[in-house]
RNA sequence: GCGGGGGUGGCGGAACUGGCAGACGCGCAGGACUUAGGAUCCUGUGGGGCAACCCGUGGGGGUUCGAGUCCCCCCCUCCGCACCA
């Protein structure tokens, strides 16, 4: 065997690193949408140094882009940076620089990393949301929304994050904590800007059904988030008052079971009742109760399983169905933000009301009965059934009663069918510097005045950044003249939520440098929706919901003609790594851990736990480290091979080495053959012997599998299939090195290199040249498989007895389809085993198996 | 509580419409080459048994010639939402 040059990945990767960019393989003319394919990764926040876990979706995206390019599509695969946001400000405060410097430095670092990975983007289309040429159009968007009444300013109780010193949207609070810094969120009453996403609640919900290529869990999360409830609004009269007490219920069929009413402590009627309260002592007690609940508020009241508490107001409501007098309470579990801020209490059929009633000795009445629930009520029966004790409605089913009672109330002007949503309007104000200024001016004479479009952008003041300075502290910024009357005026000093920036950036990529408009509507209508969108699950009810809303709003304004931005969505999983913790020295990087899982500093045993890669737990792996040791191709291959892309997977150093070994095998295989493959003559399958046919079949089988797997996001099995092919070719070569069919080998190695190239582009580009080609891999067509080649000359037929494999039979392909012949041969072969048994039945699956059913 | 995923060797995971469970890789064991190996290559590797064979996809039932796959009941686990009337 001649010596084969070692796989020198450093040299190879250096050679091809700039090649693809320089050749502009992914430059796209968006005026031409012939066979277009818009692939998009969620653009990243430039938070700093990337680890191998971050590489996952970009590497997969690059493989997909390369694949479709070879399939002959025009692939748009752009990248940009979601560059406004808090971490930049915090980092700037810490390092006494400007957020811009930190942000730009990170962007440059990340771009270098993408380049090292061999990921090819069209950088001419790069977007940075912190640049005026981009955020100008955020402001434009705001103004369009303002014109349509979709942007408004209102006093509201909002979420305030003390850590970030700004307000947050509902979507950005999880379990009472800030999504970014995990601080406990407080409530504040403030004047803030909102986008009226609730106007689209119904459409956002309905159109989820259209998104059949979205993961089910994302659709479910959005459905829950929007939280639609169909029900009835009912007006109860209040004894001794002209006011009505309006409630919302999804169960009007239980209205005869109402035995109390309850108001949220913030409900306006509470103040009114207190004002009318003649007894000063009771008034004081009531005030104290309300105060206490409000204090307890945000933290405890939001949490589940808080004991129900109430206070009787001394007032009564009248049940519109039967005229009964019903006591009105104030209750801690009634939320002002939902429905009308008041409820009708039905202890028999609502568990919360049941607990309340038990606590305060309120009557519990059964008005719904079903087979599962008769006899005594030990807890509320919340199911549907038949009405009892319900006057003229007794005997109806819950469903019938829903409509009948709704209609009855409606006809008497005491109620109406209504739909309620959990989703709230999107709070977009942020009290921070590093964001898009909201283009509004407040004038004493003219009031709230939008900045004219011709005056956009309202630029961030270009001042040295010193500490936590919001725009409200920068007079150079906020002192201005009123665009309407020219008089002195003050600019809005809040900036926009960065989620505004990302809610439409996918449109900007089509014409990223157009300074006359946010996007080219014609080109956008040709190129959108995004054909494939890929990113993390964490944006299920944030970015993905906002983007859908903005798209629909733009559609209604006539700017775009589609109503969903992302046709297909895929959520990649996280990469995890062991994290080690020492009781004395805290987190220890896995590579520093001493033999026997001990701390390198003190020798104490460490606690080991598999966790998501994160800087704070010191369990990240730097891509550079892997690239230095094994090359970018190895990292790419391992990243795609380690497991299904949607799943969380552990990173192991051994796994990386396995991928490296494989690439070495490919290298050795191709190079051992490459020199022998000149003038190989015509590939003639008719000349194939049995062995060659097997190789040929394997080749086509692999092409088919890899093609289907890439399109189905199953990169792990695609790589596995290629490994099988390499094993087969290696076996073929070693079995009979002197008699290798060179035409077959040439074709097999070429196809191998081509189908492997989306995963490991560097080595494949190199091997492609070594196989004697001058042109680039990305200029080649994706290999097609030949269905006839998949058919083997012989078939192996499994012989089962009573469903268990007992023997095998090899037959020519034609016989494999011949039932009678199969049965004859199978029975002959297992004769011995059938002694003394009675054949009851023979099941034949042509080409696959014969199952002989026997009785003793 | 409601909703959505998952449960397959020592590990990550394969398995088209029900049709050879464990592809591919890691790890491990043995061997080769080496001064050496945490490098490389070869062989083996679900469990039990000398073997024929038996047992095996969270548990229990069922349908079927045949079930990881379909149906019913249950358990565990991850994620999302959660006093939303």
């Amino acid at each position: 065997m001649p010596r084969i040059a070692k796989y020198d990945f450093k040299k190879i990767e250096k050679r091809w690193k700039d090649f693809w960019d320089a050749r502009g393989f992914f430059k796209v003319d968006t005026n031409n949408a012939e066979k277009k394919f818009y692939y998009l990764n969620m653009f990243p926040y430039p938070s700093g140094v990337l680890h191998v876990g971050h590489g996952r979706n970009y590497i997969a995206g690059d493989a997909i882009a390369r694949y479709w390019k070879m399939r002959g599509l025009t692939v748009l695969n752009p990248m940009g940076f979601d560059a406004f946001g808090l971490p930049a400000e915090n980092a700037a405060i810490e390092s006494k620089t400007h957020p811009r410097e930190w942000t730009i430095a990170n962007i440059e670092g990340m771009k270098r990393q993408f380049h090292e990975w061999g990921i090819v983007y069209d950088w001419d289309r790069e977007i940075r949301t912190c640049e005026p040429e981009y955020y100008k159009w955020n402001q434009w968007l705001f103004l369009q929304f303002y014109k349509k009444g979709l942007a408004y300013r209102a006093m509201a109780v909002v979420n305030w994050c003390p850590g970030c010193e700004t307000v947050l949207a509902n979507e950005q609070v999880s379990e009472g904590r800030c999504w970014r810094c995990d601080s406990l969120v407080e409530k504040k009453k403030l004047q803030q800007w909102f986008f009226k996403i609730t106007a689209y609640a119904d459409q956002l919900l309905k159109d989820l059904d259209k998104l059949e290529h979205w993961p089910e869990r994302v659709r479910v999360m959005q459905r829950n988030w929007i939280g639609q409830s169909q029900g009835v609004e009912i007006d109860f009269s209040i004894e001794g008052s002209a006011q009505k007490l309006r409630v919302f219920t999804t169960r009007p069929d239980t209205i005869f079971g109402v035995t109390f009413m309850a108001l949220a402590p913030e409900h306006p009627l509470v103040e009114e009742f207190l004002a009318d309260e003649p007894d000063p002592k009771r008034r004081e007690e009531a005030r104290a109760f309300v105060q206490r609940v409000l204090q307890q508020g945000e933290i405890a009241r939001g949490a589940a399983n808080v004991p129900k508490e109430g206070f009787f107001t001394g007032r009564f409501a009248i049940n519109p169905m039967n005229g009964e007098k019903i006591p009105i309470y104030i209750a801690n579990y009634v939320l002002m933000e939902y429905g009308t801020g008041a409820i009708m209490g039905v202890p028999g059929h609502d568990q919360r009301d049941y607990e309340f009633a038990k606590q305060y000795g309120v009557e519990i009445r059964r008005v719904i009965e079903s087979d599962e629930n008769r006899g005594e009520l030990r807890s509320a029966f919340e199911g549907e059934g038949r009405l009892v004790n319900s006057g003229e409605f007794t005997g109806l089913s819950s469903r019938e009663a829903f409509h009948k009672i709704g209609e009855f109330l409606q006809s008497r002007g005491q109620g109406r069918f209504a739909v309620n949503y959990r989703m709230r309007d999107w709070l977009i104000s942020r009290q921070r510097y590093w964001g898009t200024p909201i283009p509004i001016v407040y004038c004493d004479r003219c009031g709230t005045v939008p900045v004219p479009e011709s005056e956009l952008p309202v630029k961030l003041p270009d001042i040295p950044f010193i500490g936590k300075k919001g725009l409200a502290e920068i007079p150079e910024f906020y002192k201005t003249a009123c665009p309407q009357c020219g008089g002195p005026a003050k600019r809005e000093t809040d900036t926009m939520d960065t989620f505004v920036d990302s809610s439409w950036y996918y449109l900007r990529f089509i014409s990223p440098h157009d300074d006359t408009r946010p996007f080219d509507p014609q080109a956008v209508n040709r190129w959108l929706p995004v054909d494939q969108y890929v990113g993390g699950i964490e944006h299920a009810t944030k970015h993905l919901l906002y983007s859908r809303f903005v798209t629909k709003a733009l559609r209604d304004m006539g700017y775009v003609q589609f109503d969903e931005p992302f046709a297909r969505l895929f959520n990649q999983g996280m990469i995890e790594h062991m994290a080690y913790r020492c009781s004395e020295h805290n987190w220890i990087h896995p590579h520093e851990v001493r033999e026997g899982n001990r701390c390198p500093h003190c020798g104490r045993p460490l606690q080991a736990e598999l966790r998501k890669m994160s800087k704070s737990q010191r369990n990240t792996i730097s891509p550079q480290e892997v690239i230095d040791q094994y090359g970018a191709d190895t990292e790419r291959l391992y990243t795609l091979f380690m497991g299904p892309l949607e799943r969380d997977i552990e990173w192991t150093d051994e796994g990386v080495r396995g991928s490296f070994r494989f690439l070495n095998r490919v290298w050795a295989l191709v190079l051992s053959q490459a020199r022998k493959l000149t003038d190989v003559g015509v590939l003639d399958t008719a000349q194939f012997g049995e062995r060659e046919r097997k190789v040929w079949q394997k080749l086509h089988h692999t092409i088919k599998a890899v093609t289907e797997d890439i399109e189905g996001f199953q990169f792990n099995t695609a790589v596995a299939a290629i490994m099988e092919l390499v094993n087969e070719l290696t076996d073929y070569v070693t079995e009979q090195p002197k008699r290798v069919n060179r035409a077959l080998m040439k074709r097999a190695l070429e196809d191998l290199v081509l189908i492997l190239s989306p995963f490991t582009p560097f080595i494949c580009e190199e091997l492609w040249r070594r196989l004697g080609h001058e042109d680039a891999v990305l200029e080649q067509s994706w290999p097609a498989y030949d269905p006839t080649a998949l058919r083997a000359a012989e078939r192996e037929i499994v012989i089962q007895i009573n469903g268990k494999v007992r023997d095998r039979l090899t037959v020519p392909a034609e016989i494999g389809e011949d039932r009678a012949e199969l049965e004859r041969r199978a029975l002959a072969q297992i004769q011995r085993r059938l002694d003394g048994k009675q054949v009851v039945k023979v099941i034949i699956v042509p080409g696959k198996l014969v199952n002989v059913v026997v009785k003793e």
Side-chain angles (χ1 to χ4, degrees):
Chain A
M1 277 279 266
R3 279 190 59 86
I4 290 162
K6 168 169 163 267
Y7 166 43
D8 186 346
F9 58 86
K10 285 209 167 128
K11 219 155 137 192
I12 294 168
E13 295 186 1
K14 195 171 165 217
R15 185 172 304 146
W16 300 110
K17 200 153 57 178
D18 299 321
F19 175 72
W20 303 302
D21 278 333
R23 291 284 294 269
F25 284 121
F26 288 95
K27 296 265 183 269
V28 168
D29 171 12
T30 42
N31 290 319
N32 173 16
E34 189 97 352
K35 300 207 279 182
K36 67 100 180 175
F37 184 76
Y38 187 178
Y39 177 88
L40 189 62
N41 274 117
M42 289 182 189
F43 69 163
Y45 180 78
S47 56
V49 184
L50 295 170
H51 57 64
V52 292
H54 292 121
R56 211 174 184 194
N57 56 359
Y58 306 115
I59 289 168
D62 187 64
I64 291 164
R66 286 172 185 269
Y67 166 77
W68 285 109
K69 164 88 182 159
M70 289 172 79
R71 283 290 303 273
L73 300 191
T74 305
V75 178
L76 176 64
N77 179 26
M79 185 44 67
F81 297 92
D82 191 8
F84 270 140
L86 268 172
E89 276 187 69
N90 294 336
I93 290 162
E94 211 169 293
S95 62
K96 299 192 164 53
T97 54
H98 193 278
R100 169 174 296 277
E101 286 172 40
W102 182 87
T103 304
I104 302 290
N106 282 344
I107 289 176
E108 295 305 329
M110 286 168 80
K111 286 178 74 167
R112 266 196 303 279
Q113 185 61 64
F114 289 136
H115 193 58
E116 287 291 309
W117 271 326
I119 293 171
V120 190
Y121 295 118
D122 178 359
W123 287 113
D124 292 345
R125 290 182 187 274
E126 179 184 351
I127 285 173
R128 297 179 182 190
T129 59
C130 63
E131 299 298 343
E133 72 159 19
Y134 184 83
Y135 70 68
K136 171 180 179 178
W137 303 111
N138 283 340
Q139 295 170 340
W140 174 88
L141 186 78
F142 178 94
L143 293 177
Q144 309 314 305
F145 276 35
Y146 184 75
K147 264 191 262 178
K148 293 280 167 191
L150 288 174
Y152 65 94
R153 192 166 183 246
M155 183 63 90
V157 176
V158 297
N159 304 299
W160 172 264
C161 172
C164 299
E165 295 185 55
T166 183
V167 297
L168 298 171
N170 268 329
E171 287 78 9
Q172 293 153 27
V173 178
S174 177
E175 292 178 7
R177 289 176 181 275
C178 170
W179 74 294
R180 253 201 209 287
C181 72
D182 219 34
S183 305
L184 273 175
V185 168
E186 300 164 3
K187 295 279 178 183
K188 279 196 178 182
K189 203 162 184 187
L190 292 170
Q191 276 275 355
Q192 298 286 292
W193 283 96
F194 291 87
F195 278 177
K196 205 171 188 173
I197 191 170
T198 53
Y200 284 84
D202 186 46
Q203 280 186 53
L204 287 168
L205 181 70
K206 259 199 233 131
D207 288 353
L208 283 174
D209 293 337
K210 289 191 201 165
L211 299 174
E212 44 179 349
H213 299 295
W214 278 37
E216 182 60 17
R217 62 172 169 158
V218 176
R219 297 199 288 172
V220 168
M221 281 162 81
Q222 291 208 356
R223 205 169 285 134
N224 289 344
W225 186 262
I226 296 165
Q228 187 189 61
S229 302
Q230 317 255 9
V232 175
E233 254 175 27
I234 305 172
D235 296 330
F236 286 69
S237 354
I238 300 166
E239 210 179 45
S241 166
Q243 295 261 27
K244 297 278 181 188
L245 173 50
R246 177 170 292 182
V247 301
F248 173 77
T249 179
T250 54
R251 294 295 301 273
D253 54 316
T254 64
I255 191 166
F256 286 88
V258 175
T259 49
F260 70 97
M261 307 293 288
L263 305 172
E266 302 94 330
H267 197 283
L269 276 176
V270 169
E271 219 14 76
E272 213 165 298
F273 289 170
L274 287 180
D276 294 348
E277 173 62 55
D279 179 352
K281 199 172 144 233
R282 276 196 60 79
R283 202 186 306 149
E284 271 326 295
E285 279 171 19
R287 283 238 157 78
F289 173 79
V290 168
Q291 270 309 311
R292 193 159 54 76
V293 173
L294 289 179
Q295 299 271 303
Q296 161 194 55
E298 323 330 329
I299 308 154
R301 240 174 113 208
N305 300 331
V306 173
K308 307 283 175 286
E309 286 186 78
F311 191 91
F312 178 46
T313 60
R315 307 290 292 258
F316 291 88
I318 306 298
N319 188 330
M321 304 304 291
N322 55 13
E324 272 183 45
K325 257 176 75 171
I326 311 160
I328 305 175
Y329 287 77
I330 306 165
N332 64 343
Y333 71 99
V334 181
L335 307 174
M336 192 59 219
E337 306 97 87
Y338 187 78
T340 62
I343 59 154
M344 59 181 216
V346 187
H349 303 285
D350 181 289
Q351 188 55 31
R352 296 156 299 178
D353 297 346
Y354 180 87
E355 287 165 26
F356 185 88
K358 278 275 173 201
Q359 182 71 27
Y360 293 95
V362 174
E363 183 196 352
I364 299 169
R365 197 181 290 174
R366 175 201 294 279
V367 292
I368 304 287
E369 211 168 63
S370 87
D371 292 340
E372 321 136 52
N373 194 276
R374 292 184 194 284
E376 204 191 327
L377 278 168
R378 285 217 175 69
S379 64
F381 170 63
E382 296 184 326
E384 297 190 344
R386 245 162 229 294
L387 272 65
V388 293
N389 303 322
S390 296
E392 57 184 294
F393 297 92
T394 296
L396 291 180
S397 73
S398 287
R399 227 154 272 192
E400 289 164 338
F402 182 101
H403 293 286
K404 289 270 164 67
I405 291 175
E407 277 158 19
F408 174 82
L409 289 165
Q410 200 155 355
S411 69
R412 304 196 12 178
Q414 289 178 304
R416 61 215 64 83
F417 291 101
V419 179
N420 247 296
Y421 296 94
R422 272 188 16 177
M423 185 170 65
R424 303 291 138 69
D425 278 338
W426 174 13
L427 198 175
I428 60 143
S429 298
R430 294 292 180 275
Q431 291 71 47
R432 301 295 307 215
Y433 168 82
W434 194 232
T436 305
I438 293 175
I440 288 287
V441 167
Y442 302 105
C443 168
D444 285 340
R445 236 183 303 172
C446 312
T448 302
V449 182
V451 174
E453 281 179 36
S454 59
E455 288 177 26
L456 298 184
V458 176
K459 285 199 190 176
L460 276 180
D462 198 9
I463 48 143
F465 185 77
I466 20 165
K468 302 187 180 185
K469 215 168 193 184
L471 295 178
E473 297 166 61
I474 307 175
E476 304 93 295
F477 174 78
Y478 64 71
K479 282 194 179 159
T480 189
C482 170
Q484 247 167 48
C485 69
K490 190 176 176 220
R491 285 191 190 282
E492 168 63 62
T493 55
D494 283 351
T495 52
M496 290 183 211
D497 182 6
T498 55
F499 280 98
V500 175
D501 313 6
S502 55
S503 68
W504 69 281
Y505 78 109
Y506 44 89
L507 304 174
R508 184 68 180 169
F509 274 132
I510 307 299
S511 54
H513 308 301
D514 191 335
D515 57 8
T516 62
R517 53 195 171 175
F519 51 85
D520 172 350
Q522 261 192 337
V524 155
N525 282 327
R526 277 195 300 260
W527 275 82
L528 274 278
V530 172
D531 294 281
Q532 179 68 61
Y533 199 36
V534 176
I537 186 71
E538 66 273 18
H539 289 298
T541 53
K542 293 195 268 280
H543 163 61
L544 289 170
L545 193 61
Y546 298 144
S547 298
R548 295 183 61 221
F549 157 57
V550 168
T551 297
K552 287 174 194 302
L554 287 172
R555 177 206 56 198
D556 288 347
M557 295 177 207
Y559 290 109
V560 303
Q561 285 163 13
F562 47 91
D563 52 17
E564 285 291 341
F566 313 120
R568 284 170 190 270
L569 174 69
F570 186 91
N571 301 115
Q572 83 280 1
M574 300 262 205
I575 291 186
E576 306 173 313
H577 200 203
M578 285 313 263
Y580 295 90
R581 190 170 204 170
C582 171
S583 54
E584 201 54 32
H585 298 91
N586 218 354
W587 299 103
I588 307 294
H589 193 278
H591 290 172
E592 295 169 7
V593 171
R594 250 177 34 200
E595 193 88 20
N597 279 358
R598 287 180 177 275
C599 176
H601 309 298
C602 61
R604 284 190 178 82
L606 299 169
Q607 271 197 343
E609 199 185 332
L610 191 57
R611 286 167 178 257
K612 288 165 192 158
M613 279 195 186
S614 92
K615 235 194 278 178
S616 61
Q617 286 156 42
R618 300 204 65 221
N619 66 340
T620 59
I621 299 283
S622 118
Q624 208 48 53
E625 187 182 330
V626 182
I627 290 171
D628 286 345
Q629 203 174 352
Y630 302 104
D633 276 336
T634 292
E635 188 193 337
R636 290 176 61 120
L637 187 71
Y638 177 57
T639 298
L640 296 170
F641 178 60
M642 62 196 303
L645 191 63
E646 69 275 16
R647 224 174 281 184
D648 293 346
I649 303 271
E650 181 185 1
W651 179 277
T652 66
D653 296 341
E654 291 77 15
V656 179
R657 238 179 288 135
S659 292
F660 181 63
R661 267 200 290 271
F662 170 71
L663 290 182
N664 274 284
R665 283 208 301 280
V666 172
W667 178 261
L669 171 68
V670 176
L671 258 65
S672 72
Q673 298 297 309
R675 284 180 309 114
K676 305 173 192 166
L677 299 180
T678 47
D679 298 322
V680 294
V682 183
L683 179 69
D684 180 4
T685 54
Q687 303 270 307
F688 282 175
E690 204 180 306
R691 189 69 187 86
E692 281 71 31
R693 247 196 299 277
K694 204 178 149 212
V695 172
W696 185 241
Q697 190 198 350
K698 186 74 182 176
L699 175 65
H700 286 269
H701 182 83
T702 306
I703 295 171
K704 180 173 191 275
V706 172
T707 304
E708 289 169 359
D709 283 351
I710 291 179
E711 293 184 21
F713 271 79
Q714 293 171 303
F715 301 100
N716 55 327
T717 49
V719 172
I722 295 175
M723 286 172 169
E724 284 186 63
L725 174 64
V726 170
N727 291 346
E728 173 72 15
L729 293 174
T730 306
D731 287 350
Y732 175 56
V733 169
T734 34
E735 279 164 28
Q736 37 186 359
K738 294 272 151 18
R739 284 185 291 133
V740 167
N741 180 318
R742 290 155 65 229
L744 167 63
M745 185 50 67
K746 184 170 162 64
R747 167 66 86 78
L749 293 180
E750 285 178 351
D751 284 356
L752 164 67
V753 167
L754 294 179
I755 60 178
L756 184 60
S757 70
F759 310 113
T760 58
F762 295 102
I763 190 175
C764 290
E765 197 74 59
E766 179 73 22
L767 290 174
W768 185 245
R769 307 311 151 115
R770 304 278 182 132
L771 284 167
H773 298 280
E774 306 272 324
D775 43 5
V777 167
L778 281 173
E779 288 168 304
Q780 312 308 310
S781 299
W782 187 254
Y785 64 90
D786 175 1
T788 59
L790 295 176
R791 271 187 242 132
E794 293 187 321
R795 288 290 181 83
E796 193 182 61
I797 305 294
V798 169
I799 307 175
Q800 298 181 332
I801 297 176
N802 291 341
K804 297 197 169 163
V805 181
R806 281 296 174 266
D807 211 334
R808 275 150 225 280
L809 182 64
T810 306
V811 298
E814 322 83 70
I815 305 277
E817 304 300 317
D818 181 343
R819 287 168 171 273
E821 183 61 16
L822 271 185
E823 176 167 350
R824 200 184 61 74
R825 292 196 185 195
L827 287 174
Q829 180 146 338
I830 55 165
Q831 189 92 56
R832 188 181 54 85
R833 293 167 183 274
L834 298 176
D835 271 0
K837 290 169 183 144
Q838 190 197 341
V839 175
V840 181
K841 197 181 190 184
V842 180
I843 311 278
I844 295 160
V845 182
K848 278 207 176 132
L849 63 80
V850 176
N851 184 17
V852 183
V853 185
V854 299
K855 241 178 20 193
E856 285 300 324

